[in-house]
């Protein structure tokens, strides 16, 4: 091992594996506090425990990992909220994350609030009502504090909860946000459909309109439309009290 005493790690010539020196390994283990170990254990447990598809999506969003979820996954969860049973599963797990009693799980708490914000803008109307029913909790989150050394990890939680509380206090703001979210989804959905149609045209596919006219339906989010989740809503677009919404899953 050339200059091993001065190197922190080296590459094994036999296996090609990266090998850490004892000093570096000790430093790595020292950086793993009890809280961090517990966070890793929670992720591992959630990954292997039995769960249905809805739970799997929510757990993926609410992990301790240092990155956020894709917009596709978030929209799938928003779509789940139009089904009564799935709505209960999503919100139960989401509020459990937000109400995590360990401040060291600040990342999960922040992700729970981020999911809540997305559901208010993209999910069933009941997501708005449910969020308002938890307004007292959200206001308390504005006082959240957690430091890692001198780094304030709670600032994101405080700011996100403040933004959600402000939005929930203004019906017009909610309608505006849900309308913008719907327009954004339709914009990207339109691009995807255009690309698909272009590919079919090149390959000689095609066949009539394919029921394209019904693509404008399914975005309603009134309580009546929410209760009919999973059923056909062709030809209708309920605006509900707040507007917006997502297509119903079949």
């Amino acid at each position: 091992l050339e200059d091993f005493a001065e190197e922190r790690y080296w590459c094994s010539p036999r296996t090609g594996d990266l090998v850490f020196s004892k000093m570096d390994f000790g430093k790595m283990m020292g950086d793993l506090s009890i809280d961090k170990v517990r966070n890793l254990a929670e992720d591992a447990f959630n990954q292997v425990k039995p769960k249905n598809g809805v739970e799997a999506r929510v757990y993926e969003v609410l992990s301790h990992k240092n990155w956020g979820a894709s917009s596709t996954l978030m929209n799938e969860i928003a779509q789940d909220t139009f089904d009564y049973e799935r709505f209960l599963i999503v919100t139960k797990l989401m509020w459990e994350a937000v109400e995590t009693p360990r401040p060291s799980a600040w990342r999960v708490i922040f992700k729970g609030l981020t999911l809540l914000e997305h559901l208010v803008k993209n999910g069933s109307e009941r997501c708005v009502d449910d969020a308002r029913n938890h307004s007292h909790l959200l206001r308390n989150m504005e006082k959240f504090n957690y430091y890692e050394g001198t780094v304030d990890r709670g600032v994101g939680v405080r700011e996100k909860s403040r933004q959600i509380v402000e939005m929930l206090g203004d019906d017009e703001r909610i309608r505006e946000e849900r309308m913008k979210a719907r327009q954004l989804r339709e914009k990207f959905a339109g691009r995807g459909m255009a690309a698909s149609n272009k590919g079919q045209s090149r390959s000689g596919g095609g066949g009539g309109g394919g029921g394209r006219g019904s693509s404008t339906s399914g975005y309603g989010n009134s309580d009546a439309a929410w209760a009919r989740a999973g059923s056909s809503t062709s030809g209708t677009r309920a605006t509900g009290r707040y507007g917006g919404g997502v297509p119903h899953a079949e």
Side-chain angles (χ1 to χ4, degrees):
L1 300 179
E2 186 176 353
D3 296 327
F4 175 74
E6 298 180 5
E7 295 291 338
R8 296 175 57 197
Y9 52 84
W10 59 288
C11 186
S12 170
R14 183 173 63 86
T15 65
D17 294 334
L18 194 64
V19 181
F20 290 89
S21 69
K22 292 182 178 179
M23 180 181 297
D24 192 67
F25 181 76
K27 180 179 182 300
M28 289 168 54
M29 293 304 295
D31 289 341
L32 285 176
S33 65
I34 296 299
D35 287 325
K36 290 182 179 180
V37 171
R38 190 169 179 178
N39 291 345
L40 292 171
E42 284 182 0
D43 277 350
F45 175 76
N46 290 336
Q47 186 173 0
V48 301
K49 75 177 182 180
K51 49 189 174 290
N52 59 36
V54 179
E55 292 171 330
R57 286 190 285 275
V58 178
Y59 278 127
E60 184 175 348
V61 168
L62 301 177
S63 73
H64 290 276
K65 297 174 181 176
N66 191 25
W67 57 79
S70 68
S71 58
T72 299
L73 181 58
M74 296 284 275
N75 284 335
E76 288 178 359
I77 295 175
Q79 196 171 37
D80 285 332
T81 65
F82 284 86
D83 176 90
Y84 180 74
E85 297 297 332
R86 294 182 179 185
F87 167 82
L88 295 178
I89 294 172
V90 169
T91 52
K92 175 180 180 294
L93 297 178
M94 178 186 68
W95 289 117
E96 285 179 355
V98 173
E99 296 183 84
T100 298
R102 296 188 303 110
S104 59
W106 58 270
R107 187 173 282 119
V108 169
I109 297 172
F110 178 79
K111 288 183 176 182
L113 292 171
T114 300
L115 176 58
L116 172 62
E117 181 182 43
H118 188 83
L119 296 184
V120 169
K121 295 179 180 180
N122 295 272
S124 161
E125 282 188 342
R126 296 221 177 170
C127 294
V128 180
D129 295 333
D130 185 52
R132 283 178 162 167
N133 289 337
H134 289 81
S135 292
H136 62 288
L137 170 63
L138 296 171
R139 290 192 180 93
N140 287 335
M141 298 306 296
E142 295 182 48
K143 306 172 185 177
F144 180 85
N145 273 298
Y146 181 72
Y147 282 82
E148 285 184 352
T150 59
V151 180
D152 182 3
R153 297 298 191 185
V155 61
V157 172
R158 294 193 299 272
E159 182 62 20
K160 180 65 69 176
S161 57
R162 183 189 64 79
Q163 292 172 356
I164 295 174
V165 168
E166 288 183 356
M167 178 171 58
L168 292 175
D170 187 343
D171 279 357
E172 191 59 37
R173 166 83 182 280
I174 293 175
R175 294 189 187 98
E176 179 182 338
E177 293 291 346
R178 289 173 66 84
M179 182 61 66
K180 288 193 297 185
R182 188 181 74 184
Q183 291 172 345
L184 185 62
R185 289 192 307 272
E186 291 177 336
K187 177 181 178 180
F188 285 104
R191 288 180 179 178
M193 181 60 68
S196 176
N197 290 340
K198 187 175 181 180
Q200 291 179 1
S201 176
R202 287 180 175 177
S203 62
R212 183 74 182 106
S214 63
S215 66
T216 57
S217 65
Y219 280 87
N221 63 347
S222 67
D223 286 344
W226 179 85
R228 294 195 305 270
S231 62
S232 173
T233 56
S234 179
T236 63
R237 181 192 287 266
T239 57
R241 289 171 293 163
Y242 305 115
V246 296
H248 296 299
E250 293 295 340

